[in-house]
Amino acid sequence: MEGSNSDSVRKPKPYRSDVPVRDADVDSAFKYEVADKFGGEGLLRCLKCGACSGGCPVGSVIDYRPRRVLGNVLLGLREQVLVGENLWLCAACFTCEERCVQEVNFTDVVTVLRNMASEEGHAAPGYVKMAKTVMEHGRVSKATGHVGKIREELGLPPFSEPDMEQLHKIIQSSGFLEIIEANEGRESEE
Amino acid sequence: MKMAIAWGCLMPTRRSLIGYEAATRKVLEHLDIEVVDVPNETCCAPFWMQSLDLTTSIAMAARNMAKAEEMGLDLLTPCSGCFHSYKRVNYALEKYPELHSRVDDILGAAGLSYDRSIEGRHLVDFLYNDVGVEKLKQHSTVDLTGIEVGLRYGCHMLKPHEMLNIEYSERPTFADTILETFGVTSKMYTGKHRCCGGLLRGIQDDLADMVLHERLVDADNADLDGLVTVCSLCHLQHDMGQRIIKRKFGMDELEIPVLHYPQILALAFGYSPEEIGLTHHTVKTDKFVEKLKKLGGVA
């Protein structure tokens, strides 16, 4: 109904790969590597039926298809899957996970893939930035003075930033600092 | 009844979301349910954080749960993102023993332990299953008959149902049932159960706008007095995001008030629009409040 206006909106680039697939781009062990991680075990059950793509709310506005992501992982196109923004287009609505007859759990597979990408320094800069806010303030959103005043007006208890000691220890011992380090300097790219 | 409660990051700190906290506190107080805030609550590490590292995220969520466990209380939350994170903790620790021992080690390094003796609970599920529709009805003083809303359950209270175990997500009804108890008409409309694109905000803003545009066109066509959202992200998208969509897609007439779920309960319990933060939303809620007044639903 707003055709002419929505055409002017910049659409993210479709991520359709170059065809044909070359042997050199295929890592045949990739799917086992993914299936071996927490949440990745459903991958090998995928029949590529496409029920995931059919319900995808992102797929209804751009050329993004969960089935194609799964297909690329099963094919072993490691680099194409892990590098670039395509991996970060899932909105985590879990509709595909809910509808999948094979219990592939696509959204969990996405988490596994994103964890692998993050470890290699390919995390979405926006999420890295949010993580840094959490590492500094304990939450992803800071309270402003204006908000403090509204809280007072509404009779809500004053908001204070949490004590950070335990959170810092968790982040230090979990290896999360190394992941942030691997993605250092990429926030400005966006 | 006594519960620990976690508010999440957004609700206490964002102008348009404070009404969610205010209404929730009033509703629980009105129902004589005692809640204790989790001390020093930190980020629950929801899906975006899990994208960076699942193990760290589970440990972060388990930290808040450990605090509730110390008090011997189940952990209630009105935030669907938080709920999803807390449900994932028990689910993942049970399913993956190796993850369990890794998380135990991480928590141990921070002087904490978590034994999975408590559950994460969603406010709306708690109201329906533990408080019950009958009791909610008995406590209401205002009839909201005539109000027509579009209820958005959001994704993270329901999906995947295998993990969250509330109600099958394709055609849920429990949250509509509560609204209808107070006389509200909860309309079925296209896109009611579709994702708002909230988690794409901050990493794929154009895409988040495109998904939201579809949702707002759907809602606009449904001729509603207002939208009612359960999820904080749904609210940020539909309320704050509505301004962006208006401008970007030339939808000048678009003006749909977006209420938080417990605000409807608070109105039915006789609280005024002002004391539940309705004046702080981005899209003015005046139209909605006017209609309430006309129907005699507000003092």
Side-chain angles (χ1 to χ4, degrees):
Chain A
M1 61 199 273
E2 292 78 28
S4 58
N5 282 311
S6 44
D7 284 348
S8 66
V9 175
R10 188 184 70 85
K11 297 194 177 185
K13 274 187 216 134
Y15 77 105
R16 187 181 292 280
S17 57
D18 294 330
V19 282
V21 172
R22 308 281 180 198
D23 276 357
D25 301 326
V26 170
D27 172 356
S28 55
F30 184 48
K31 62 182 174 185
Y32 300 112
E33 199 185 327
V34 174
D36 215 31
K37 297 197 186 321
F38 311 128
E41 62 281 346
L43 171 71
L44 303 179
R45 288 194 293 266
C46 178
L47 304 171
K48 295 202 260 179
C49 74
C52 47
S53 294
C56 179
V58 175
S60 89
V61 291
I62 58 162
D63 181 24
Y64 170 77
R65 302 287 180 266
R67 170 165 59 178
R68 203 185 298 146
V69 176
L70 288 165
N72 288 346
V73 177
L74 289 167
L75 255 176
L77 301 178
R78 188 180 217 281
E79 184 154 336
Q80 193 185 313
V81 169
L82 295 185
V83 183
E85 65 175 14
N86 308 319
L87 182 57
W88 304 84
L89 299 178
C90 167
C93 75
F94 293 86
T95 304
C96 55
E97 187 151 325
E98 193 79 336
R99 292 182 181 175
C100 177
V101 291
Q102 284 294 96
E103 296 180 13
V104 168
N105 297 338
F106 177 74
T107 326
D108 296 349
V109 173
V110 166
T111 298
V112 170
L113 295 168
R114 286 181 177 180
N115 283 191
M116 292 168 85
S118 301
E119 221 173 300
E120 295 174 13
H122 304 299
Y127 284 172
V128 173
K129 207 170 149 192
M130 285 155 73
K132 285 183 169 179
T133 305
V134 172
M135 287 157 71
E136 195 178 336
H137 301 280
R139 301 196 188 198
V140 73
S141 181
K142 291 172 278 183
T144 60
H146 177 58
V147 161
K149 240 164 83 185
I150 300 174
R151 292 186 64 85
E152 203 180 325
E153 270 168 39
L154 294 175
L156 296 171
F159 178 82
S160 53
E161 289 200 0
D163 180 75
M164 295 292 290
E165 198 192 331
Q166 289 171 338
L167 187 62
H168 280 151
K169 284 181 176 158
I170 286 174
I171 285 169
Q172 273 159 19
S173 57
S174 74
F176 193 69
L177 290 176
E178 285 78 2
I179 292 167
I180 293 299
E181 181 104 348
N183 290 279
E184 208 56 73
R186 291 193 60 247
E187 291 118 283
S188 53
E189 281 174 29
E190 228 187 10
Chain B
M1 255 185 275
K2 191 174 172 183
M3 305 285 279
I5 192 160
W7 297 98
C9 297
L10 302 174
M11 233 170 254
T13 59
R14 297 288 183 96
R15 185 177 61 94
S16 58
L17 289 171
I18 295 174
Y20 202 136
E21 181 181 339
T24 301
R25 288 196 190 269
K26 295 223 156 30
V27 163
L28 292 173
E29 191 186 306
H30 188 78
L31 295 165
D32 269 330
I33 294 154
E34 193 187 341
V35 288
V36 188
D37 292 9
V38 166
N40 277 308
E41 181 190 341
T42 45
C43 171
C44 74
F47 190 80
W48 67 265
M49 182 73 189
Q50 291 163 20
S51 289
L52 299 174
D53 189 49
L54 180 67
T55 308
T56 304
S57 302
I58 298 279
M60 282 171 66
R63 176 192 172 277
N64 288 339
M65 294 184 85
K67 305 261 164 194
E69 195 173 54
E70 268 173 38
M71 301 188 278
L73 300 171
D74 278 336
L75 182 54
L76 186 65
T77 179
C79 175
S80 297
C82 290
F83 172 66
H84 209 267
S85 301
Y86 298 138
K87 290 298 276 190
R88 189 179 288 285
V89 170
N90 285 2
Y91 182 80
L93 293 184
E94 194 185 334
K95 192 168 174 186
Y96 308 112
E98 278 173 59
L99 179 68
H100 198 324
S101 57
R102 181 86 186 91
V103 168
D104 277 350
D105 289 346
I106 296 169
L107 290 176
L112 292 158
S113 71
Y114 175 62
D115 294 329
R116 285 193 287 147
S117 70
I118 59 146
E119 265 302 330
R121 297 294 310 277
H122 196 291
L123 174 73
V124 180
D125 174 50
F126 175 78
L127 290 170
Y128 183 77
N129 279 309
D130 295 40
V131 178
V133 173
E134 269 315 301
K135 187 169 171 189
L136 293 173
K137 174 90 184 150
Q138 284 161 17
H139 278 75
S140 70
T141 54
V142 176
D143 181 15
L144 300 177
T145 300
I147 293 290
E148 299 185 331
V149 301
L151 168 62
R152 293 192 49 81
Y153 283 78
C155 301
H156 297 152
M157 174 168 67
L158 298 170
K159 290 182 275 190
H161 77 281
E162 186 200 9
M163 178 173 96
L164 304 177
N165 198 23
I166 291 187
E167 187 174 7
Y168 186 59
S169 69
E170 298 280 352
R171 287 285 179 273
T173 55
F174 69 103
D176 298 273
T177 305
I178 294 178
L179 296 186
E180 279 158 5
T181 301
F182 306 125
V184 173
T185 303
S186 181
K187 276 188 157 180
M188 184 62 200
Y189 70 98
T190 308
K192 171 173 170 170
H193 297 295
R194 298 275 277 170
C195 167
C196 71
L199 270 171
L200 297 167
R201 208 40 83 196
I203 57 162
Q204 297 281 345
D205 283 324
D206 279 339
L207 191 51
D209 290 343
M210 288 158 82
V211 175
L212 175 61
H213 173 239
E214 278 201 344
R215 295 297 79 78
L216 285 170
V217 168
D218 289 341
D220 202 29
N221 289 338
D223 193 22
L224 308 165
D225 293 323
L227 282 166
V228 177
T229 56
V230 169
C231 175
S232 331
L233 276 184
C234 263
H235 194 274
L236 284 180
Q237 277 286 79
H238 287 82
D239 183 56
M240 249 163 77
Q242 204 173 134
R243 226 169 24 184
I244 303 171
I245 300 305
K246 254 173 111 148
R247 199 171 52 229
K248 194 164 177 176
F249 294 85
M251 297 175 74
D252 300 333
E253 304 296 309
L254 188 69
E255 199 178 335
I256 311 170
V258 192
L259 280 79
H260 300 295
Y261 192 84
Q263 286 176 330
I264 299 282
L265 277 81
L267 289 169
F269 292 164
Y271 291 97
S272 75
E274 292 76 21
E275 55 189 335
I276 55 169
L278 270 178
T279 47
H280 297 294
H281 294 201
T282 305
V283 177
K284 295 250 173 297
T285 55
D286 302 3
K287 260 190 339 192
F288 186 91
V289 174
E290 278 311 308
K291 178 151 182 189
L292 261 183
K293 279 184 182 158
K294 227 179 276 169
L295 295 166
V298 73

